[in-house]
Amino acid sequence: MKIILKSPQIINEISELLIGAELVPTELEKNNLYWFGDKNDKDELIAVIGVERYSDICLFRSLAVKAEERNKGIGDKLIKEAVSFAISININEAYLITSTIAEKMKRYGFVTIDRSSLPHVLKESPFIREICPATSCIMYKTLSGSI
């Protein structure tokens, strides 16, 4: 796992992976968005997660693993990498919005919160305002020195 440089080719690969996972590929090149990924032996991108930074908080977004690569621990490794990275750049709070992985994220200490509890800057995110359904689960975690 490593941070991904945002070349046009990589952005295209991330977009294709997100579409394949039925996620919306939007604002993939934002300056405050860091991508982490994993590739297979053929140098194909098989998994990604984004860390979108807003001062000392972040939004984890777009965890996607190719269907044939699921249940191999790749998503877990990416989550750990994203949390470690966020801690290393002095992020104190992490948020995410999900319709599918709430139970998995509870294993990492994320708790469900009400949408109204989100910091204002995250309420303005297109994921919160438009893309993710109102029924999606909003989750929060205070970050510390460990996962």
Side-chain angles (χ1 to χ4, degrees), residues 127-139:
F127 290 95
I128 305 299
R129 286 186 298 114
E130 305 162 3
I131 296 170
C132 296
T135 57
S136 294
C137 182
I138 307 288
M139 302 188 82

Side-chain angles (χ1 to χ4, degrees), residues 95-112:
Y95 296 83
L96 63 94
I97 183 168
T98 183
S99 297
T100 57
I101 62 168
E103 290 305 311
K104 174 185 276 288
M105 297 311 289
K106 286 179 183 176
R107 294 193 313 243
Y108 291 98
F110 281 82
V111 295
T112 302

Side-chain angles (χ1 to χ4, degrees), residues 44-82:
E44 299 167 328
L45 191 64
I46 57 170
V48 293
I49 189 169
V51 178
E52 191 167 341
R53 181 182 189 164
Y54 296 92
S55 186
D56 64 344
I57 64 172
C58 72
L59 178 66
F60 287 165
R61 49 177 278 204
S62 306
L63 173 63
V65 179
K66 277 193 171 185
E68 62 271 17
E69 301 293 340
R70 292 183 186 150
N71 300 312
K72 296 179 181 179
I74 297 168
D76 292 315
K77 289 176 187 174
L78 283 175
I79 293 165
K80 289 176 184 176
E81 185 78 19

Side-chain angles (χ1 to χ4, degrees), residues 109-120:
F110 281 82
V111 295
T112 302
I113 62 169
D114 188 79
R115 193 174 285 256
S116 64
S117 299
L118 281 169
H120 180 72

